[in-house]
Every structure is written in C-alpha cells, then in structure tokens.
Amino acid sequence: MLNQISLLLNDYTFQIVALGTGFLGLLSGVVGTYATLRKESLLGDALSHAALPGIGIGFILIQRKELSVLLLGALVSGLIATVIIQTMSKKTVVKLDSALSLILSSFFGLGLVILTSIQNNPNAQQAGLSNFIFGQASAMLLSDVQLIGVVGLGLLALVALFWKEFKVFTFDPMFAQTLGFSGKIIESLMSTMIVVTIILGLESVGVILISALLIGPAVAARQWTNRLSVVVLLAAIIGFVSGVTGTFISSLGERIPTGPAIVVVVSSFVFISLFFSPKRGIIAGHYANKKRQKVFMNQIQSLEE
Amino acid sequence: MSMIFEITLVAVVVAVACALPGVFLVLRGTTMVSDAITHTVLLGIVLAFFITQDLNSPLLMIGATLVGVATVWAIEALQQTKLLSNDAAIGIIFPLFFSIAIILITRYAGNVHLDVDAVLMGELAFSPFRRLMFLGMDLGPRALWTMLIILFINCLFIFLFYKELKITTFDAGFAAALGFSPVLVHYGLMTIVSLTAVGAYDSVGSILVVGFMVGPPLAAYLMTNKLHVMIALTVLMALVNSVIGVQLAFMLDTTIAGMIAVVTGVTTLTVFVFSPKKGLIKAFLNRRKEQKKMDQRLKTIEQAGR
Amino acid sequence: MENNKAIVIDHLTVAYDAKPVLWNISCGFNKAQLTAIIGPNGAGKSTLIKSMLNFIQPITGSIAFSTMEDEQVPYKKMKNKIAYVPQNTTVDWDFPATVLDVVLMGRYGHLGWLKRPGKKDKNVAKQMLLKVGLPTFASRQISQLSGGQRQRVFLARALAQEADIYIMDEPLSGVDMKTEHIIMKLLKKLVEEGKTVIVVHHDLQTVEEYFDHVVFINQEVIAQGSIQGAFTKDNIDKTYHQDRNLGEGEG
C-alpha cells in the first residue's frame, strides 16, 4: 500500500492533475467566498449546468477537443443564461429560484441534445459524454494546468487589487455606491470571475459538482474566523487541499471519479468545521448553552434560598 | 400500440405527474430544494438497490423517497444552525449526496444495472422495452404504470389537501394560527416531490426532472392569478411540451428527455415574454402607458404653476 | 435665502414602475440645522432619501447641493461630502467583519479606487468609535452587537466619512434609550460644527425636543418650516389622516 502511494506521488501524470485540481480548488475557494457571502451560491450551480450547450457548440464548430475553444463556448452560454435569469427575476414577477431551476434544466437538456447529436448515438451512452458532466481530471494535460494557472493568477490579482472595493460592496452594496464606487463595475467584475472559475473547473470537476467547490471551502473557512482576509486565505487552503486529496483518493482507488471524490473531501471539511469550530461550532454552541443554563439555574436557586 | 405512441404516452404521464407538485414549489419559491431532492434520490436508489437487489422493487421506491425527504430535513437542519446561509445549505447537501451516489455507482457498476449517463438523462426511448407482465398478459410499459400510480397519488394529494396547500403557501403564519401545520404540509409536499423524482428518474434522469417540475407551472403562473386555473394550465403546458418534445426528438434522432427539457424552456420563455398578463412585453407596455399618463399630469401641473 | 440651504429639491417626481411615489416635491434643507422628515408609512420618505443619494432616477425635477465651499452642484460632485446611514436591517450581520472593519469602510470614499486605508484612516475610525461610545468594541464581530450598538457602528461609519451632509433613514427606530441619547447628542454636535443633518423620523413625541426644522411628506410636501412654525397639530393631521390621490383633481 505504502509502496503504491509513493509510486503515485512520483507519478508525473498524478503530479500534473493534482496541481491542476489543487489550484482550481484554491481559486474557487477565493472566488466562492464572495459568491457565498453575496448569497449567490446557487447561481453558480445554474451557470455551470448552463455551460454545457456552449461546450457542445464549441465542439461542433471546430470538430475536435480544443479546451480553450470549448471553454469559450461555455463562457458564452453561461453569460447568456445569466442574462436570462437576471431579466426573469428582476423585470417581472418570476422568483429567482424558479428562474434558476428552469434555466438550469433547459440549458442542460439542450447540452445533452447537442452532445447526443455529436456522438451520433441516440442513446448517448458512450464514454466521453460524461467527462464534462462529472469531470475527468485524469484527462488534464500540462497545457490545461497552465491555462488554469495563468487565468487563475489573473483572477487572484483582481481580488488583491480590488480587495477594498469587493469587501465593501459585498457587505453593503448601497453604501459602496454612496461612496462613489460603481456597483455595475464591481458586480460585473465579480460575476465574470465566478463564471470564469466555474468554466475552468468544468473539465476536472464537472458541470454538476463545481458549485460545491465554490460553496464548500467558503462555508468551512467562515466557521474558524471573523476576518474576511482570513476567511479568503483559509478557503483557498481548504480548496487546494480538497483538490489534491480528492485527486489522490480517486487515483489510488479503483474507479472513483475525481469530481465526486473532491466534493466528498470538501464536504468533510464543511462538516468538521460546522461541528468542531471552537467559537461557533455546533458542539461548542451546545456546551455554551448548557453552561449558560447551569449558571441561570444556580442564580435562580440562590435567589430562592 | 406503436412504439412512438407508447413513448409519447409515458412522456405525457411523466410530465404531468412532475408538473402538478411543481405548482406549489413555484408558488412557495422552493424549487431549488426540489432540485436538490431530484439529485439526492439517486443516493436512495443506489442504497436501496444494495439492500433489495431489485430495481423494480416497490421497497426501492419507498427507500429512495425517504432519502429525498431526508435531504429536505438535512438542509433545514443545516439552515437552523444559522452558521451558513439558506442557499449555501442546499449547495452543500445535494452535491455531497449526489457525489456519494456517483462514487457508489461507478465503483460497483458491474453489479448494478445503473449507469451514469442513464442517471443523468434517463431514457424514455427504452421505456417500451420494459414491460409489465401480469399472468402472462402484456399490460404495457412498466414506466407507464409506475408513473400513472404516482400521478394518481399526486392528484389525490392535491385534491385532498387543496385548502391546506393553498393557505400554507399563501400565509404560513396564518395557517399555523388556524391549526394547519405548515411543517406537516411542507413535508407532505416534499414527500410527493421526492416520490415523483424517484419514479421519473429512469425516464427523465435526475437533472431534467426539475425542469419538468418548474417549467409548466411557471408558464401557467405567468398567465393567470387563479390557483385552479394555474393548475389546469400547468397540465396543459406539460402535455404540449412532452408531445412536441417527443416528436422533435424522433425527428432529430436525439435524447427524448433532453428535448422535452429544451421545449419546456422554450415554451416557458415564450410565455414569459408574450404573456398578456404578466409577460415581459406587457410589463414594458404598461410602464410606457403609465409613464405617458404621468407625463401628462406633470404637464398640467407645470402649466398651473405658471 | 437660497444660500443657507444645503439641499434644494425642485419639482421632484419619482415613480417605481410608473407608480408615482413622490409627486412634485419642492423643499429645502437648511445648512447647519437638524431637519426631520416626517410622514406615515409608504409616504415616500425613504424614496426621497434614495433620490437625494442618486439611487433612484427621478422622472422630473432636480436636486442641488451646496456645501461650505461649493454652491448648487449636482450629486456627482458631492459624493464624498454626503454620508448616508441606512436602516439597519439591510446587511448580512454574519458577514466576516469586525466593528473596526465596518467603520473603516467609511474612509473608502476618500481613498477612491485601489488605494488601501492607512494608519491615519484607522486612527480616524477608532476616534469615531470612541465618539459613539464603543471604543472597546473594535475587534468584535458585528453579529455580537445589540441593535442599538449596530446603529451606533453605522453612525460611526458615517462619521468616518467626515462629510458635510448627513442623511439618515430612521436611525432611532428600534434602539434603546441609551443609544438614542448618544446618537442625538452626536447629531447636535455635528450641527454645531456647521454640518447639515437630515433624519427620517417616526416618533412624533420627540420631534420638538430633537429637531430644528421639519418637512412633512405624504407623497407631496404637506408642510415645511421651523419647529415652532410648522410643527402644528393641523399639519400633523393633514399628513397622517388624509386619503391622498396623487396628482388627480389638481392642477
């Protein structure tokens, strides 16, 4: 077993893939913190599903699997979905969650229709179709990791550069506007960052599960600190570790898909944090409550005596 | 019966069965919870299969339905900790359950007659091949019977609890004061959503079910303000979507469920834009009309001011 | 006459989706005075504030500002000279931010894009926390505050903006007596320093005690003027007990 592990750790492909998923986790940890704080985590879920038809159309246009083109297609269809969702929920009586659910499933349906016709197989039960749906990290090439790295560094630079603006806008958008920061600029910057992160993750984690990678690290990190800077940093670390660990588990075991493996690791972080965080955690809260009860009881008793 | 007719029939029954509980999901604004359920019943199906070893066992349906309801409970338990926002709780629970299910399926793919692609989109085209036999008699596609029973349960639920559903949806606090437990009604609704998702998964797959549940009621909601009219229109929309979807899928030789989801999206968006009551164009025209009225009133004020 | 007005609103009409909320409003807010905006629920008080802050585009009319130096300029030139305290229900109190973080946000406007707050800004923020009576709360998480303390933190954030005009949406609603006392004392002090303070107020009992000036609003301006002159039973009745039908039957 140990032998196996050391063999795996020295394996070039594994190193590449782990680096890719790790960096992806880091990135979605950072970007996801803002999405989660702004209560936009489910938008991420809808957008990732909505990216599927774009991938299909990208493939039809160039007839081969060129990652950058596919991701560009995904970006376009993701943005179209965003516009439709925003129009539905803001301009009329339609509630946001209805718009999300509708767009999520009809875009995903369209994606399936397109992918099915690409494979020219009415049952669409061939390998390859599900790669973008569940992600197939093992298919990652060095060039893919480089793409994630370069675009990711760009996103991180944006976060560092607009730290103050993102912070005030996420906390209190109205107030940010009275200070003279254009809400439109910050908002579109943030949405684009979310869409780009989702799309970078499609190949390795897949359409269905990438949203978990956005939400999980942020929620877990939030439990340990009250400072935004620390939340972002912790979320980045948790994301990175989850990516690497998930890939490790999936490579070690037989037939364990990477995306789901990463999600299980992220979720473990979430539940550990929710239960065991020393300040806010469920267990700490339980004991604090009991203690308080005891103190009150003692006070009441001493009053009665 | 011809194959295409049988498939259409199954599609229609599935669509209507899904759309009925959807009416209340749309009105309550809890459609994303149903999205979570439709994903997590898969875990229920897999787990129940390990126990029953029979995909057609009614026990499997019950087990899977229970997991769907457990999802709702888990989401609400997380929300009650107040440690994370409501939508994040949904976004944590369902990917986890779904991931576990996918890992189980992939690992034991050899033993389980379930595969990942089928889980995602189901396959209506196969439904005529799985037949229900009774005493040697061919009674038609098994999926048709399953979904007919679920459709009947859904109709019965809405018929019996129409008043309760209406009042808890409209004003939960008031309903509670009158003695109708909103929690009970909520879990009742979630149980039938869950049951429907379980029944529909092998025809439609876990992701598209939510579109079947949300699309038709949303379109109906945009056309009327009356609940019973909304229900009728929902059924009509579900009917139209599934019939057109099946036809198109056969013409284009593609996935039927996916095509119905696309048609649902298109018809719902069309209603959204053109609905004479609450559509986008109507809203725009209304605004312009009111604006004109106001401009005129403003003019009279200005003149009076002079 | 116009020179002593910090804000002059001229024939302002605002509508949400073509439904008029404010109708033909003309009023002014005196420099270096404490003015209350008073009216029943749905009278458009918050809308008036939001239009002053440029959140809502009016259909017609204009809003002009003047400060100690500038005369009659539009909102865009004024941004860093106006501080706004919203009603305190609007933010996520579980946001990972400390009290000092929030107060420090008041400095962001002066910093502009990209520049980071420095030591000087932190000192200003701490000073303002002292002023609102929460000097020991700097590193507390904001969810650990009571309603009154939250309101004081928002006030400190506005003070940190070092503005000329302070606009506040019901700063006294739902706060304890101690907070109400501290807030009013601070507002009076601001006015003494020559700043203009505009407050949406709901408690008719305390108007005479707290304010210099009053504007009655119920979709239209019902009355305005000094407390002695305008705060009459007649005006209160007119504002609160009248079914108003906007614009129709007038003209």
Side-chain angles (χ1 to χ4, degrees), chain B residues 153-191:
Chain B
I153 295 175
N154 290 354
C155 288
L156 195 68
F157 179 80
I158 292 175
F159 176 74
L160 287 179
F161 300 106
Y162 186 77
K163 177 181 86 234
E164 286 79 2
L165 280 165
K166 196 171 172 176
I167 194 166
T168 50
T169 304
F170 177 67
D171 185 346
F174 179 62
L178 289 184
F180 302 109
S181 161
V183 178
L184 213 61
V185 177
H186 173 63
Y187 272 90
L189 181 63
M190 289 305 158
T191 308

Short mmCIF file of all heavy atoms in Angstrom, two decimals, chain B residues 153-191:
data_model
loop_
_atom_site.label_atom_id
_atom_site.label_comp_id
_atom_site.label_asym_id
_atom_site.label_seq_id
_atom_site.Cartn_x
_atom_site.Cartn_y
_atom_site.Cartn_z
N ILE B 153 -51.41 9.43 -7.14
CA ILE B 153 -51.11 9.86 -5.77
C ILE B 153 -51.00 11.39 -5.69
O ILE B 153 -51.53 12.02 -4.78
CB ILE B 153 -49.79 9.21 -5.28
CG1 ILE B 153 -49.98 7.69 -5.18
CG2 ILE B 153 -49.36 9.78 -3.93
CD1 ILE B 153 -48.72 6.94 -4.82
N ASN B 154 -50.31 11.97 -6.67
CA ASN B 154 -50.16 13.42 -6.69
C ASN B 154 -51.51 14.13 -6.79
O ASN B 154 -51.76 15.11 -6.09
CB ASN B 154 -49.27 13.86 -7.86
CG ASN B 154 -47.82 13.46 -7.65
OD1 ASN B 154 -47.47 12.95 -6.59
ND2 ASN B 154 -46.99 13.67 -8.65
N CYS B 155 -52.35 13.63 -7.70
CA CYS B 155 -53.69 14.23 -7.86
C CYS B 155 -54.46 14.12 -6.55
O CYS B 155 -55.09 15.10 -6.10
CB CYS B 155 -54.48 13.51 -8.96
SG CYS B 155 -53.88 13.85 -10.60
N LEU B 156 -54.38 12.94 -5.95
CA LEU B 156 -55.12 12.70 -4.72
C LEU B 156 -54.63 13.66 -3.63
O LEU B 156 -55.43 14.26 -2.91
CB LEU B 156 -54.89 11.25 -4.28
CG LEU B 156 -55.86 10.73 -3.24
CD1 LEU B 156 -57.25 10.61 -3.83
CD2 LEU B 156 -55.40 9.38 -2.70
N PHE B 157 -53.31 13.79 -3.53
CA PHE B 157 -52.73 14.67 -2.51
C PHE B 157 -53.24 16.10 -2.69
O PHE B 157 -53.68 16.75 -1.74
CB PHE B 157 -51.20 14.63 -2.62
CG PHE B 157 -50.49 15.53 -1.64
CD1 PHE B 157 -50.31 15.13 -0.32
CD2 PHE B 157 -50.02 16.78 -2.02
CE1 PHE B 157 -49.66 15.93 0.60
CE2 PHE B 157 -49.38 17.60 -1.11
CZ PHE B 157 -49.20 17.18 0.20
N ILE B 158 -53.18 16.59 -3.93
CA ILE B 158 -53.60 17.97 -4.17
C ILE B 158 -55.10 18.13 -3.95
O ILE B 158 -55.56 19.11 -3.38
CB ILE B 158 -53.19 18.41 -5.60
CG1 ILE B 158 -51.68 18.50 -5.68
CG2 ILE B 158 -53.83 19.74 -5.97
CD1 ILE B 158 -51.14 18.80 -7.05
N PHE B 159 -55.86 17.09 -4.37
CA PHE B 159 -57.31 17.16 -4.20
C PHE B 159 -57.67 17.18 -2.70
O PHE B 159 -58.47 18.00 -2.25
CB PHE B 159 -57.96 15.96 -4.90
CG PHE B 159 -59.44 15.88 -4.70
CD1 PHE B 159 -60.29 16.75 -5.37
CD2 PHE B 159 -59.99 14.95 -3.83
CE1 PHE B 159 -61.65 16.69 -5.18
CE2 PHE B 159 -61.35 14.87 -3.64
CZ PHE B 159 -62.19 15.76 -4.30
N LEU B 160 -57.05 16.29 -1.93
CA LEU B 160 -57.39 16.18 -0.51
C LEU B 160 -56.92 17.39 0.28
O LEU B 160 -57.63 17.88 1.17
CB LEU B 160 -56.75 14.91 0.08
CG LEU B 160 -57.38 13.60 -0.33
CD1 LEU B 160 -56.63 12.44 0.31
CD2 LEU B 160 -58.85 13.56 0.06
N PHE B 161 -55.72 17.89 -0.05
CA PHE B 161 -55.14 18.95 0.77
C PHE B 161 -55.11 20.29 0.05
O PHE B 161 -54.27 21.13 0.35
CB PHE B 161 -53.73 18.54 1.22
CG PHE B 161 -53.70 17.29 2.03
CD1 PHE B 161 -53.24 16.11 1.49
CD2 PHE B 161 -54.18 17.30 3.33
CE1 PHE B 161 -53.23 14.95 2.25
CE2 PHE B 161 -54.17 16.15 4.09
CZ PHE B 161 -53.71 14.97 3.54
N TYR B 162 -56.02 20.47 -0.90
CA TYR B 162 -56.03 21.69 -1.70
C TYR B 162 -56.08 22.92 -0.80
O TYR B 162 -55.28 23.84 -0.92
CB TYR B 162 -57.24 21.66 -2.64
CG TYR B 162 -57.29 22.82 -3.60
CD1 TYR B 162 -56.47 22.83 -4.73
CD2 TYR B 162 -58.15 23.89 -3.40
CE1 TYR B 162 -56.50 23.87 -5.63
CE2 TYR B 162 -58.19 24.94 -4.29
CZ TYR B 162 -57.37 24.93 -5.40
OH TYR B 162 -57.40 25.97 -6.28
N LYS B 163 -57.03 22.91 0.10
CA LYS B 163 -57.22 24.04 1.01
C LYS B 163 -55.97 24.28 1.87
O LYS B 163 -55.51 25.42 2.00
CB LYS B 163 -58.44 23.74 1.89
CG LYS B 163 -58.76 24.76 2.93
CD LYS B 163 -59.96 24.32 3.75
CE LYS B 163 -59.58 23.42 4.88
NZ LYS B 163 -60.22 22.15 5.01
N GLU B 164 -55.41 23.21 2.41
CA GLU B 164 -54.24 23.33 3.27
C GLU B 164 -53.03 23.83 2.50
O GLU B 164 -52.29 24.70 2.96
CB GLU B 164 -53.91 21.97 3.92
CG GLU B 164 -54.86 21.55 5.03
CD GLU B 164 -56.17 20.98 4.51
OE1 GLU B 164 -56.32 20.88 3.26
OE2 GLU B 164 -57.03 20.63 5.32
N LEU B 165 -52.85 23.28 1.29
CA LEU B 165 -51.73 23.72 0.46
C LEU B 165 -51.85 25.20 0.14
O LEU B 165 -50.89 25.96 0.20
CB LEU B 165 -51.70 22.92 -0.84
CG LEU B 165 -51.08 21.52 -0.76
CD1 LEU B 165 -51.43 20.72 -2.00
CD2 LEU B 165 -49.58 21.62 -0.60
N LYS B 166 -53.08 25.58 -0.18
CA LYS B 166 -53.33 26.97 -0.58
C LYS B 166 -53.00 27.90 0.58
O LYS B 166 -52.27 28.89 0.42
CB LYS B 166 -54.79 27.10 -0.99
CG LYS B 166 -55.09 28.35 -1.79
CD LYS B 166 -56.52 28.29 -2.33
CE LYS B 166 -56.92 29.59 -2.96
NZ LYS B 166 -58.26 29.51 -3.56
N ILE B 167 -53.53 27.59 1.74
CA ILE B 167 -53.39 28.52 2.85
C ILE B 167 -51.96 28.55 3.40
O ILE B 167 -51.44 29.62 3.74
CB ILE B 167 -54.43 28.23 3.96
CG1 ILE B 167 -54.50 29.41 4.91
CG2 ILE B 167 -54.11 26.96 4.71
CD1 ILE B 167 -55.70 29.36 5.79
N THR B 168 -51.30 27.39 3.44
CA THR B 168 -49.92 27.41 3.95
C THR B 168 -48.98 28.08 2.95
O THR B 168 -47.97 28.65 3.33
CB THR B 168 -49.39 26.00 4.25
OG1 THR B 168 -49.62 25.19 3.12
CG2 THR B 168 -50.05 25.41 5.46
N THR B 169 -49.31 27.97 1.66
CA THR B 169 -48.48 28.63 0.67
C THR B 169 -48.65 30.14 0.74
O THR B 169 -47.69 30.90 0.66
CB THR B 169 -48.85 28.15 -0.75
OG1 THR B 169 -48.73 26.75 -0.79
CG2 THR B 169 -47.95 28.77 -1.79
N PHE B 170 -49.89 30.55 0.93
CA PHE B 170 -50.19 31.97 0.91
C PHE B 170 -49.69 32.67 2.18
O PHE B 170 -49.08 33.73 2.12
CB PHE B 170 -51.70 32.17 0.74
CG PHE B 170 -52.11 33.61 0.79
CD1 PHE B 170 -51.73 34.49 -0.20
CD2 PHE B 170 -52.88 34.08 1.84
CE1 PHE B 170 -52.09 35.81 -0.14
CE2 PHE B 170 -53.25 35.41 1.90
CZ PHE B 170 -52.86 36.27 0.90
N ASP B 171 -49.95 32.08 3.33
CA ASP B 171 -49.59 32.73 4.58
C ASP B 171 -49.38 31.67 5.66
O ASP B 171 -50.31 31.26 6.34
CB ASP B 171 -50.72 33.69 4.98
CG ASP B 171 -50.36 34.50 6.22
OD1 ASP B 171 -49.38 34.15 6.90
OD2 ASP B 171 -51.05 35.49 6.50
N ALA B 172 -48.13 31.25 5.80
CA ALA B 172 -47.82 30.12 6.69
C ALA B 172 -48.18 30.45 8.14
O ALA B 172 -48.71 29.60 8.86
CB ALA B 172 -46.34 29.76 6.58
N GLY B 173 -47.91 31.68 8.55
CA GLY B 173 -48.18 32.06 9.93
C GLY B 173 -49.67 31.97 10.25
O GLY B 173 -50.08 31.41 11.28
N PHE B 174 -50.48 32.50 9.32
CA PHE B 174 -51.92 32.49 9.48
C PHE B 174 -52.43 31.05 9.53
O PHE B 174 -53.27 30.69 10.37
CB PHE B 174 -52.55 33.25 8.32
CG PHE B 174 -54.05 33.31 8.35
CD1 PHE B 174 -54.70 33.92 9.41
CD2 PHE B 174 -54.80 32.74 7.33
CE1 PHE B 174 -56.08 33.98 9.44
CE2 PHE B 174 -56.17 32.80 7.36
CZ PHE B 174 -56.82 33.42 8.42
N ALA B 175 -51.87 30.22 8.63
CA ALA B 175 -52.29 28.81 8.58
C ALA B 175 -52.00 28.13 9.91
O ALA B 175 -52.83 27.38 10.43
CB ALA B 175 -51.56 28.09 7.45
N ALA B 176 -50.82 28.40 10.47
CA ALA B 176 -50.45 27.79 11.74
C ALA B 176 -51.42 28.23 12.83
O ALA B 176 -51.84 27.44 13.68
CB ALA B 176 -49.02 28.17 12.10
N ALA B 177 -51.79 29.51 12.79
CA ALA B 177 -52.72 30.02 13.79
C ALA B 177 -54.08 29.34 13.69
O ALA B 177 -54.78 29.14 14.67
CB ALA B 177 -52.87 31.53 13.63
N LEU B 178 -54.45 28.95 12.45
CA LEU B 178 -55.73 28.27 12.26
C LEU B 178 -55.65 26.79 12.61
O LEU B 178 -56.64 26.08 12.60
CB LEU B 178 -56.18 28.39 10.80
CG LEU B 178 -56.64 29.77 10.34
CD1 LEU B 178 -57.13 29.69 8.91
CD2 LEU B 178 -57.72 30.31 11.24
N GLY B 179 -54.44 26.30 12.86
CA GLY B 179 -54.29 24.90 13.24
C GLY B 179 -53.85 23.99 12.12
O GLY B 179 -53.79 22.79 12.27
N PHE B 180 -53.53 24.56 10.94
CA PHE B 180 -52.94 23.73 9.88
C PHE B 180 -51.43 23.81 10.00
O PHE B 180 -50.88 24.89 9.85
CB PHE B 180 -53.36 24.23 8.50
CG PHE B 180 -54.83 24.27 8.29
CD1 PHE B 180 -55.50 25.47 8.22
CD2 PHE B 180 -55.55 23.09 8.17
CE1 PHE B 180 -56.87 25.51 8.04
CE2 PHE B 180 -56.91 23.12 7.98
CZ PHE B 180 -57.57 24.34 7.92
N SER B 181 -50.80 22.72 10.30
CA SER B 181 -49.35 22.78 10.49
C SER B 181 -48.65 22.98 9.16
O SER B 181 -48.68 22.11 8.29
CB SER B 181 -48.86 21.49 11.14
OG SER B 181 -47.48 21.37 10.93
N PRO B 182 -47.99 24.12 8.97
CA PRO B 182 -47.28 24.35 7.71
C PRO B 182 -46.16 23.35 7.53
O PRO B 182 -45.85 22.95 6.41
CB PRO B 182 -46.70 25.76 7.87
CG PRO B 182 -47.45 26.37 9.00
CD PRO B 182 -47.88 25.25 9.89
N VAL B 183 -45.56 22.91 8.65
CA VAL B 183 -44.45 21.96 8.56
C VAL B 183 -44.94 20.63 7.98
O VAL B 183 -44.32 20.04 7.10
CB VAL B 183 -43.84 21.72 9.96
CG1 VAL B 183 -42.71 20.70 9.88
CG2 VAL B 183 -43.32 23.03 10.53
N LEU B 184 -46.09 20.20 8.48
CA LEU B 184 -46.65 18.94 8.01
C LEU B 184 -46.96 19.00 6.51
O LEU B 184 -46.62 18.09 5.75
CB LEU B 184 -47.93 18.63 8.80
CG LEU B 184 -48.21 17.17 9.06
CD1 LEU B 184 -47.09 16.54 9.87
CD2 LEU B 184 -49.56 17.01 9.77
N VAL B 185 -47.61 20.10 6.10
CA VAL B 185 -47.96 20.26 4.69
C VAL B 185 -46.69 20.31 3.85
O VAL B 185 -46.59 19.68 2.79
CB VAL B 185 -48.79 21.54 4.48
CG1 VAL B 185 -49.09 21.73 3.01
CG2 VAL B 185 -50.08 21.46 5.27
N HIS B 186 -45.69 21.03 4.37
CA HIS B 186 -44.42 21.18 3.67
C HIS B 186 -43.79 19.81 3.43
O HIS B 186 -43.40 19.47 2.31
CB HIS B 186 -43.50 22.07 4.50
CG HIS B 186 -42.10 22.18 4.00
ND1 HIS B 186 -41.80 22.74 2.77
CD2 HIS B 186 -40.92 21.80 4.53
CE1 HIS B 186 -40.50 22.71 2.59
NE2 HIS B 186 -39.94 22.14 3.64
N TYR B 187 -43.72 19.01 4.51
CA TYR B 187 -43.10 17.69 4.36
C TYR B 187 -43.95 16.76 3.49
O TYR B 187 -43.41 15.92 2.77
CB TYR B 187 -42.78 17.07 5.72
CG TYR B 187 -41.42 17.50 6.19
CD1 TYR B 187 -41.26 18.64 6.96
CD2 TYR B 187 -40.29 16.80 5.81
CE1 TYR B 187 -40.00 19.06 7.35
CE2 TYR B 187 -39.03 17.20 6.20
CZ TYR B 187 -38.88 18.34 6.97
OH TYR B 187 -37.64 18.76 7.34
N GLY B 188 -45.26 16.93 3.56
CA GLY B 188 -46.13 16.15 2.67
C GLY B 188 -45.80 16.45 1.22
O GLY B 188 -45.58 15.54 0.41
N LEU B 189 -45.69 17.75 0.91
CA LEU B 189 -45.38 18.16 -0.46
C LEU B 189 -44.01 17.62 -0.87
O LEU B 189 -43.84 17.09 -1.97
CB LEU B 189 -45.42 19.69 -0.54
CG LEU B 189 -45.14 20.30 -1.91
CD1 LEU B 189 -46.20 19.89 -2.91
CD2 LEU B 189 -45.05 21.82 -1.82
N MET B 190 -43.05 17.74 0.04
CA MET B 190 -41.70 17.28 -0.28
C MET B 190 -41.67 15.76 -0.50
O MET B 190 -40.89 15.26 -1.30
CB MET B 190 -40.73 17.68 0.84
CG MET B 190 -40.46 19.17 0.87
SD MET B 190 -39.86 19.75 -0.74
CE MET B 190 -40.26 21.48 -0.65
N THR B 191 -42.54 15.05 0.24
CA THR B 191 -42.59 13.60 0.04
C THR B 191 -43.09 13.26 -1.35
O THR B 191 -42.52 12.40 -2.03
CB THR B 191 -43.52 12.95 1.09
OG1 THR B 191 -43.12 13.39 2.38
CG2 THR B 191 -43.44 11.44 1.03
#
